[in-house]
Amino acid sequence: MSIGTSDDRSPDGDVFHPTPDLVARANVPVWEAEAGHARQDLTGYWAKRAQELEWYHPWDQVLDESNKPFYKWFVGGKVNIVHNCLDRYTKTWRRNKLALIWEGEAGDHRTFSYHALNREVCKFASVLKALGTVKGDRVTIYLPRIPELIIAMLACAKIGAIHSVVYGGFSVEALHGRIMDSHSKLAITADGGWLNGKIVRLKDMMDEALQRSPTVEHVIVVKRTAQEVTMEPERDLWYHDLMSLPIASPKCETEVMDAEDPLYILYTSGTTGKPKAVLHTHGGYMVGIYATLRDAFDLKEDDRWWCTADPGWVTGHSYLVYGPLLNGATSFFYEGAATYPYPNRWWQMIERYGINIFYTAPTAIRGLMRFGEAWPNRHDLTSLRLLGSVGEPINPEAWKWYHRVIGKGRAPIIDTWWQTETGMFLITPTPVVPLKPGSATRPYFGVTADILNEEGQSVADGEEGYLVITSPWPAMLRTIYGDADRYVKQYWSKYPGKYLTGDSAKRDKDGYYWVIGRVDDVIKVSGYRLGTAEIESALVSHPAVAEAAAIGLPHEVKGTAIHTFVILRTGHNPSDALKEELRAHVGHEVGPIAKPEEITFVDKLPKTRSGKIMRRVLKARAQGLSEGDITTLED
Ligand code: WT7
């Protein structure tokens, strides 16, 4: 069986038409009508969607474009996203409904009704306040996939603190950099987390990171694995101790926020240098993720929704934590690995919990396909109504397997294109849109996209170009935290007034978008976003390395894998042992996900006369392709 990632997507290939039952029950039954409304009256459209949620005080202006590209949404509006996720349900029947179902890797499980979740969030918010956390403070969260991660995020948002979640798979150095950049006063971690039957020692890594992070005054530690950890007196506090003290009051007022007040920052890899903090707000972000999840996934309050993403990435923030609660759904959340202890773990949980909508990444599908159909076929998956995909283009083989074997030929695949920066889906079908495997179909309601050539003109259908977004949307990033220049430069300068996505794409005659991939120095490894600069600077921080270049090359399961080229310092000789050492070094500096697939020792790297490494040339050579225009090559 082939699971290949070769780009054999074809606009003239199979088309999957929506089934009448799904059309009949869809939240948005007629796509054209909704799209037309949004096209004719963008601000009116978003005002209507915002009114579906509760505001403490209505906005005076839907969209303020007076200081582009620093757009503002719902100006003058007073709101708190947590009010709409939890507070507003406490007086309705929904307080008794399950908000969260969680399963640990070892098979332990916990459930929270909306009432119970709200109570935990209130208690923890009171604790945060008692420790001196106030509106606008940054809080770094470095936790495994356990309910306390969600509770901590919501508690921060409730009191107006800005959460900065760091993915538990990132290393000490990455964690340290993010704590320093955000000037966090408080950090939240756990003694450890379970993954593949092993303990990830998060507290030890936090301790190491904090040796050089003077801003952090307190560390709250959740007990998950009960292994021995060192607790620094005064600084470190156990979560369960704090939650049993009188300071953990279940009565805690939700902070009234301006719509434009920051909700969170989230670090993501860019074209150059260190990862940058993307900033999202309470008002517009809330409206955007609420509406997109409701429309694209036809989410209903009686649905059980499962998004497999880690909350440490934007997919987790938007569509695991906030989106399902805004829609009053029940969200399922799993701690561990997809194949632990056997490759049927996910399918078993879909059956056990009766999941209706399942949202995952192409790399996970390809990984699980390798184990064969017998594993999913052992389970009753008929509860599934819709399937979703995100993170990279999905290749047709994986699309069709997912549709046939998991979706039993009935559940459509909602392929959602978006980014950390966009906050919400921007190109996505809904259940009433005909699907073409490998295309995220058309821009969402109110979203206008284009594909441009180098000169800024729209390219003809079928031609490749830069994917841009030409009108603002409510969940858009507002800036890069602490680096507004960078925000303007990176996203709004190549084509003034248009948002540059960093992806290339084609559009077909039906107006469907086919995203090809990143055209900047960002690599998507197993759907995770990494920058060549991070990997290269990790390599050159090793004493044996003089220079390094990283590129992404196609990989059957990962989509793209990291290949690196290294020039050694004199006195160091190439060896397999050194390769292993360098891989481990990158793992330590960035995180296990950044370990290069391949390290090649070279004497020279192709460079421009101004000294810039020509990764494009390395990539072409590695794939045996034409090197293209190399007139700027140094020699
Ligand atoms: C990049 C953004 C969006 C949440 C997870 C990733 C790629 C994402 C798709 C898709 C083709 C996709 C793009 C984009 N990407 N979804 N459905 N089809 N490509 O967020 O880590 O910020 O990465 O992921 O290249 O630019 P992110």
Side-chain angles (χ1 to χ4, degrees):
M1 176 192 61
S2 154
I3 56 172
T5 56
S6 61
D7 199 3
D8 56 354
R9 292 176 294 163
S10 145
D12 304 320
D14 303 305
V15 178
F16 291 79
H17 290 279
T19 55
D21 56 318
L22 291 180
V23 175
R25 59 162 296 160
N27 284 330
V28 181
V30 188
W31 192 91
E32 285 74 13
E34 191 84 358
H37 173 193
R39 203 178 305 119
Q40 277 154 26
D41 178 12
L42 182 76
T43 54
Y45 180 75
W46 283 114
K48 185 189 96 176
R49 303 312 304 265
Q51 273 154 7
E52 294 166 19
L53 295 162
E54 286 186 10
W55 296 71
Y56 299 122
H57 184 275
W59 52 90
D60 310 313
Q61 195 184 3
V62 176
L63 173 63
D64 175 357
E65 300 189 87
S66 59
N67 185 24
K68 291 177 191 176
F70 298 94
Y71 296 89
K72 290 184 180 150
W73 285 86
F74 307 108
V75 184
K78 299 279 184 197
V79 75
N80 187 309
I81 193 168
V82 176
H83 175 86
N84 282 292
C85 288
L86 297 172
D87 304 9
R88 68 178 164 136
Y89 304 136
T90 55
K91 289 183 193 73
T92 70
W93 62 271
R94 211 188 248 117
R95 63 197 291 279
N96 294 324
K97 198 202 134 159
L98 284 186
L100 199 64
I101 305 173
W102 173 84
E103 185 165 305
E105 199 184 64
D108 43 336
H109 60 266
R110 291 162 74 189
T111 56
F112 296 81
S113 64
Y114 273 89
H115 169 78
L117 184 61
N118 182 52
R119 199 177 148 81
E120 292 303 302
V121 169
C122 286
K123 286 180 68 182
F124 194 54
S126 296
V127 167
L128 293 178
K129 275 185 166 173
L131 290 176
T133 313
V134 296
K135 181 175 168 180
D137 282 353
R138 275 81 56 212
V139 176
T140 295
I141 302 177
Y142 187 59
L143 282 171
R145 285 193 290 250
I146 54 176
E148 285 76 8
L149 173 48
I150 296 179
I151 294 165
M153 289 169 72
L154 292 165
C156 286
K158 184 178 176 80
I159 64 166
I162 303 168
H163 58 70
S164 168
V165 181
V166 178
Y167 170 56
F170 277 131
S171 72
V172 172
E173 282 308 314
L175 174 62
H176 173 250
R178 286 157 172 80
I179 293 173
M180 291 301 282
D181 187 78
S182 63
H183 298 277
S184 292
K185 281 204 314 197
L186 184 74
I188 304 168
T189 190
D191 55 353
W194 290 106
L195 196 66
N196 277 311
K198 293 193 205 81
I199 290 175
V200 184
R201 303 187 63 93
L202 296 170
K203 175 65 167 64
D204 293 353
M205 295 201 262
M206 179 62 87
D207 286 342
E208 217 183 310
L210 290 186
Q211 285 170 5
R212 290 163 292 136
S213 312
T215 56
V216 174
E217 293 163 10
H218 288 294
V219 182
I220 300 176
V221 188
V222 179
K223 190 172 255 170
R224 169 66 188 136
T225 56
Q227 62 174 329
E228 278 294 317
V229 290
T230 351
M231 294 292 278
E232 173 112 5
E234 318 272 303
R235 191 195 70 185
D236 298 353
L237 305 157
W238 285 108
Y239 178 92
H240 62 268
D241 283 346
L242 292 168
M243 290 291 268
S244 62
L245 292 174
I247 53 164
S249 166
K251 286 204 170 52
C252 179
E253 286 296 316
T254 302
E255 190 79 25
V256 175
M257 307 293 282
D258 283 333
E260 281 292 307
D261 276 337
L263 167 64
Y264 68 78
I265 53 176
L266 184 58
Y267 287 83
T268 192
S269 302
T271 303
T272 52
K274 284 191 268 176
K276 293 290 177 290
V278 163
L279 184 129
H280 285 294
T281 58
H282 272 261
Y285 175 79
M286 170 185 79
V287 175
I289 60 173
Y290 153 76
T292 45
L293 183 56
R294 187 181 144 85
D295 301 350
F297 282 99
D298 187 39
L299 194 62
K300 299 275 187 355
E301 60 188 9
D302 56 357
D303 273 323
R304 287 196 168 183
W305 158 264
W306 182 9
C307 164
T308 69
D310 191 288
W313 299 83
V314 76
T315 311
H317 281 59
S318 294
Y319 298 113
L320 194 163
V321 179
Y322 291 110
L325 299 174
L326 289 169
N327 280 282
T330 299
S331 202
F332 175 70
F333 181 39
Y334 166 60
E335 177 183 37
T339 49
Y340 188 85
Y342 301 109
N344 64 330
R345 182 61 186 265
W346 277 7
W347 319 129
Q348 184 187 54
M349 291 188 295
I350 288 175
E351 176 177 14
R352 183 181 307 148
Y353 296 105
I355 305 297
N356 304 116
I357 316 174
F358 178 71
Y359 186 38
T360 194
T363 183
I365 299 300
R366 290 191 298 264
L368 292 167
M369 271 169 84
R370 286 186 310 179
F371 297 103
E373 288 174 36
W375 289 105
N377 286 346
R378 284 212 220 154
H379 298 279
D380 177 3
L381 304 179
T382 50
S383 61
L384 290 172
R385 183 171 90 247
L386 294 162
L387 300 172
S389 175
V390 63
E392 57 175 314
I394 181 164
N395 51 306
E397 290 105 311
W399 197 105
K400 288 178 188 163
W401 188 89
Y402 193 24
H403 184 251
R404 178 176 61 81
V405 179
I406 308 303
K408 304 298 168 202
R410 285 188 310 270
I413 291 166
I414 307 295
D415 180 358
T416 59
W417 178 92
W418 58 298
Q419 308 177 302
T420 308
E421 293 88 339
T422 71
M424 65 183 225
F425 312 147
L426 288 191
I427 304 179
T428 181
T430 71
V432 307
V433 170
L435 304 175
K436 302 184 188 185
S439 166
T441 76
R442 289 173 289 190
Y444 179 74
F445 311 126
V447 175
T448 49
D450 204 351
I451 300 172
L452 306 180
N453 63 16
E454 212 51 67
E455 288 71 47
Q457 294 140 338
S458 302
V459 300
D461 288 350
E463 269 176 39
E464 188 175 339
Y466 295 96
L467 177 65
V468 297
I469 308 297
T470 56
S471 53
W473 65 99
M476 64 199 301
L477 79 162
R478 296 303 192 268
T479 190
I480 285 174
Y481 181 75
D483 199 349
D485 287 348
R486 173 86 184 228
Y487 167 70
V488 178
K489 224 165 153 184
Q490 186 158 328
Y491 305 106
W492 302 95
S493 297
K494 187 172 171 81
Y495 306 111
K498 292 175 181 160
Y499 170 82
L500 185 73
T501 64
D503 280 349
S504 69
K506 293 179 191 175
R507 192 172 34 213
D508 69 21
K509 59 179 191 331
D510 300 321
Y512 277 45
Y513 283 73
W514 298 76
V515 172
I516 295 157
R518 300 292 306 198
V519 278
D520 51 8
D521 295 324
V522 167
I523 310 180
K524 300 289 311 239
V525 186
S526 301
Y528 294 118
R529 178 164 162 181
L530 293 165
T532 53
E534 286 163 85
I535 300 155
E536 289 162 4
S537 58
L539 281 168
V540 296
S541 73
H542 188 280
V545 178
E547 279 185 77
I551 57 167
L553 290 179
H555 183 278
E556 265 223 335
V557 175
K558 298 179 182 175
T560 315
I562 302 165
H563 289 245
T564 56
F565 300 85
V566 165
I567 304 179
L568 292 175
R569 286 183 190 283
T570 37
H572 294 272
N573 296 315
S575 71
D576 284 346
L578 183 57
K579 268 189 198 176
E580 258 331 290
E581 193 180 316
L582 292 178
R583 291 186 72 240
H585 181 72
V586 176
H588 182 263
E589 292 291 301
V590 187
I593 49 166
K595 282 188 186 171
E597 191 78 14
E598 196 58 65
I599 295 179
T600 311
F601 295 112
V602 292
D603 299 327
K604 233 182 200 174
L605 289 168
K607 284 189 192 158
T608 61
R609 275 175 220 117
S610 58
K612 238 185 115 202
I613 296 170
M614 294 180 85
R615 295 192 188 81
R616 178 177 60 78
V617 172
L618 281 171
K619 219 165 149 169
R621 278 183 196 164
Q623 291 177 286
L625 302 169
S626 144
E627 291 180 13
D629 178 11
I630 49 168
T631 47
T632 54
L633 199 65
E634 179 191 34
D635 66 82

